[in-house]
DNA sequence: ACCATAGGCAAGCAGCTACTTGCATGTCAA
DNA sequence: TTGACATGCAAGTAGCTGCTTGCCTATGGT
């Protein structure tokens, strides 16, 4: 699966998905039903199970969530790896630049695979 | 204008807007026409002036771009302020949490105004 | 005044996206 | 095996979003 930088931003663009990441940060390795229950209880979200499942698919495609199957349960783990570089792209640069002649286009936006597993 | 955290993510979800931020990082304080020209020349984007203008509106609503009017020119400046906290939300937390009982819902997702100007 | 330039506003359209609905698959307990 | 549980898959729909199109305002030069 080819993962682009844009996938991470797209995944983070939804408030429910961000709440899911909050939930996994609070308690890592939850199942789908656990997430549904806690999203409803703690955050007052009324999303259905399928909706949450699709959100988890998006998060997994973006590399922000990894899963582990165990019997009939599927545990979801947050992976903050893709989060680090995406914002430093603009952060660790001087803000007072006034007229620098930049080089060519950088490949920051191009697709970027990840290693297996 | 009420600015929510989600606005920043939504603003970053579009690849053209990210390229605009790249462009402003490279040369801060550009006008709309400058951005159009450089987006077309350096990045090969064929977006119209109105499209870019709308993107700039979104970025400004998210607080990522600030503007200064001068005669008939309007200069755009990048503001990386909103970028810092949005990812640290999940980053500076332990990843090995297994069963912590979290507190109530945090207000990270709620609307968050900014000071004037 | 006249015109060119820089930008703004608003309606309309196409594609995407989050959500629902319904059913299917796979696993565990009795 | 039978039933309950946890999850997966797919089609359909409503709302959002990025873009275009067309016209308007405002500033500056001549």
């Amino acid at each position: 699966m080819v993962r682009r930088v844009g996938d991470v931003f797209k995944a983070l663009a939804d408030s429910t998905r961000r709440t899911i990441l909050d939930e996994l940060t609070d308690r890592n390795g939850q199942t789908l039903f656990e997430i549904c229950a806690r999203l409803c209880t703690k955050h007052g979200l009324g999303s259905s199970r399928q909706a949450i499942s699709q959100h988890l698919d998006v998060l997994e495609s973006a590399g922000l969530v990894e899963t582990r199957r165990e019997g009939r349960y599927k545990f979801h783990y947050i992976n903050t790896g893709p989060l680090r570089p995406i914002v430093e792209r603009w952060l660790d640069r001087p803000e007072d630049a006034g007229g620098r002649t930049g080089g060519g286009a950088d490949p920051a936006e191009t697709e970027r695979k990840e290693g297996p597993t």
Side-chain angles (χ1 to χ4, degrees), chain A:
Chain A
M1 174 180 303
V2 178
R3 246 169 242 159
R4 299 186 304 108
V5 182
D7 294 338
V8 181
F9 289 105
K10 288 272 180 68
L12 291 175
D14 187 87
S15 125
T16 302
R17 285 196 285 268
R18 290 194 297 273
T19 308
I20 290 176
L21 289 184
D22 288 336
E23 209 28 70
L24 288 180
T25 302
D26 184 43
R27 181 204 290 249
N28 212 2
Q30 295 188 60
T31 67
L32 173 60
F33 268 43
E34 271 186 282
I35 296 174
C36 286
R38 297 180 59 140
L39 244 53
C40 180
T41 303
K42 293 176 52 180
H43 303 273
L45 300 182
S47 303
S48 69
R49 176 184 62 87
Q50 284 82 354
I52 305 295
S53 177
Q54 287 169 5
H55 282 309
L56 286 171
D57 286 343
V58 174
L59 288 170
E60 190 173 6
S61 293
L64 290 168
V65 159
E66 293 176 349
T67 60
R68 185 171 54 88
R69 191 96 209 200
E70 193 159 336
R72 59 176 162 176
Y73 300 105
K74 187 181 183 184
F75 301 100
H76 299 80
Y77 301 89
I78 190 174
N79 177 25
T80 59
L83 287 179
R84 300 194 172 272
I86 64 172
V87 158
E88 296 168 359
R89 171 171 169 188
W90 303 286
L91 232 46
D92 48 20
R93 272 159 166 166
E95 302 174 6
D96 55 343
R100 292 184 299 149
T101 61
D106 59 351
E109 196 62 48
T110 59
E111 52 195 356
R112 183 171 296 174
K113 299 178 190 174
E114 284 197 349
T117 310

